[in-house]
Amino acid sequence: MTVLLWILAALALPLVIAALWFTGVFVKELFSPSPPGPDATALAAERLGLLPADRQDTEHAAPPPAAWSAALTAARSGDWAPAAELLRADGRVWERRSTLTAELGTLAAEEDGWLLAWEAARPDDPDAAVVRAQSTVRLAWDLRGARQARYTSREQFEGFGRMLSAAREEIARAAELNPEDPTPYVVEIWVALGLGCSHAEMDELWERITSRDPYHYGAHYAALQYWCAKWRGSKELAFDFARRAAERAPVGSLLTVLPLIARFEHDETTDVAADSTPEMLALVDAGLADAAACAASDPDHPGLAQLRHLLAYYLHLQDRHEAALEQFRLVDGHVDALPWNYRGEDAAAYYCRVRNETVRMAAEAV
């Protein structure tokens, strides 16, 4: 009898082991389920060639020119010559010059050994001087941080103020070395905003800029920030500045984006119907015409992608999904633009959520 029991136990052992294994698998799946696959809208977007969130560039609104990327790479390795040559070659193309200066200034705020070498080799080079001014302003804002004032320490504010005050001297020197260049004054807008310069001072600064380049996109964007209620103006002042600038600007200058930015900066409602009023529809239509004209005459304009991002967002809110999808296709892969970049680390994910919803709605409308 004992032998028989041993035989039966031996025969049953594999069944017991199998049962325990299946039970373990079940419990593991119950408490640690496999991650879900991509949802249907994400798959639909990928089939259109649109990129997932982890492949979105969060530092640019559009691909930078290859020559700019090469110059920045060279500067990181200590070679300033390619950057100097690019700024020299841009000459009086002020919009490109200002944008490239901002890129180089951002890099110099992180590590400026290459800029110090440039300044030593060419002490009175106006290009090196304006990059230095830009880098000091960028460093000041980095010291302050992006959080609201109530979450910013006294030490941060003190360092911020000292750096902006130092930047004023550098800006004045850069302007003196190249009197026709509006770029130093465009940089100074961020000093005026940070230090709380008066409206009269801002008006004087604005005259210096527009007398040199009346439709400078980057300058208008920065000035609108100054006039916003969250900084040194009000909702009324911001809307008035945006409206007047857009009305005066020629089609293709991209300044039709200003009323849309003013709207976004002061939007306190969750009612999407407010984004589909006749006035808002007209603003978006004007932006579409502006973008088309710019794309035909100056497809590499640094502000074009910024306008397209905002158009995609408002077209989506207006249920104009096919038109929104067209704009998303043109900017996909780069998300450092309104409204996405106000979401911080969630910028790419937020962009993809809105874009994928647009893909779904456009498909359903067919």
Side-chain angles (χ1 to χ4, degrees):
M1 184 67 179
T2 301
V3 174
L4 180 60
L5 289 174
W6 277 107
I7 293 173
L8 291 173
L11 292 173
L13 184 60
L15 294 175
V16 173
I17 292 173
L20 291 172
W21 183 83
F22 281 116
T23 300
V25 170
F26 173 77
V27 171
K28 184 177 180 181
E29 282 296 312
L30 180 63
F31 292 101
S32 302
S34 300
D39 61 30
T41 57
L43 291 172
E46 289 186 24
R47 284 194 292 270
L48 293 176
L50 304 174
L51 301 176
D54 61 2
R55 294 182 60 191
Q56 299 291 333
D57 181 337
T58 59
E59 297 182 357
H60 301 92
W68 291 19
S69 297
L72 289 164
T73 299
R76 289 188 184 94
S77 67
D79 183 4
W80 52 268
E85 175 57 27
L86 279 178
L87 281 176
R88 185 201 64 77
D90 278 341
R92 295 174 56 87
V93 186
W94 303 129
E95 190 74 55
R96 284 178 56 85
R97 177 179 175 82
S98 295
T99 306
L100 179 56
T101 296
E103 291 276 349
L104 293 169
T106 297
L107 179 60
E110 299 170 1
E111 198 288 311
D112 70 344
W114 59 276
L115 181 54
L116 288 169
W118 183 0
E119 292 168 324
R122 300 178 183 175
D124 294 321
D125 188 336
D127 298 338
V130 76
V131 172
R132 172 60 67 189
Q134 176 72 77
S135 72
T136 303
V137 172
R138 177 56 189 257
L139 183 57
W141 282 95
D142 287 345
L143 286 172
R144 183 200 182 280
R147 305 184 74 185
Q148 295 179 357
R150 64 178 179 271
Y151 301 120
T152 304
S153 70
R154 184 182 67 182
E155 290 76 12
Q156 285 177 290
F157 273 122
E158 290 175 351
F160 178 56
R162 284 195 303 271
M163 294 299 293
L164 288 182
S165 297
R168 281 190 143 170
E169 296 181 9
E170 296 170 353
I171 288 167
R173 180 171 181 269
E176 182 180 355
L177 290 170
N178 191 356
E180 295 182 336
D181 185 9
T183 305
Y185 302 112
V186 177
V187 175
E188 192 171 359
I189 293 176
W190 297 102
V191 177
L193 189 155
L195 294 180
C197 293
S198 70
H199 292 179
E201 290 175 296
M202 181 62 189
D203 289 339
E204 182 180 347
L205 176 58
W206 191 240
E207 173 59 28
R208 292 175 182 170
I209 294 170
T210 54
S211 65
R212 291 165 171 81
D213 188 354
Y215 308 118
H216 193 294
Y217 176 90
H220 280 81
Y221 176 87
L224 178 55
Q225 291 296 313
Y226 173 93
W227 292 113
C228 282
K230 66 181 181 180
W231 288 113
R232 307 304 175 184
S234 66
K235 179 177 180 179
E236 292 72 24
L237 288 171
F239 272 78
D240 183 58
F241 172 82
R243 177 186 54 77
R244 286 187 290 109
E247 288 176 352
R248 295 171 181 173
V251 176
S253 64
L254 305 178
L255 296 188
T256 55
V257 75
L258 297 174
L260 294 176
I261 295 174
R263 160 71 180 169
F264 179 79
E265 292 284 5
H266 298 88
D267 187 4
E268 298 178 349
T269 178
T270 57
D271 181 10
V272 295
D275 297 308
S276 297
T277 62
E279 179 185 7
M280 283 298 296
L281 290 169
L283 288 177
V284 171
D285 285 342
L288 288 169
D290 207 5
C294 183
S297 62
D298 186 9
D300 295 325
H301 191 295
L304 180 56
Q306 299 277 352
L307 173 56
R308 290 198 187 282
H309 278 283
L310 210 52
L311 286 173
Y313 174 72
Y314 278 113
L315 286 164
H316 167 78
L317 293 180
Q318 293 173 354
D319 291 330
R320 302 162 71 180
H321 297 294
E322 289 187 13
L325 182 55
E326 180 181 356
Q327 299 302 316
F328 276 121
R329 286 178 179 271
L330 291 168
V331 298
D332 195 66
H334 300 79
V335 297
D336 185 22
L338 290 177
W340 331 116
N341 57 5
Y342 274 21
R343 294 299 184 99
E345 294 181 356
D346 192 44
Y350 177 50
Y351 165 85
C352 286
R353 285 197 297 272
V354 177
R355 182 205 63 193
N356 293 353
E357 178 67 9
T358 297
V359 170
R360 182 181 70 82
M361 297 298 291
E364 290 179 358
V366 175

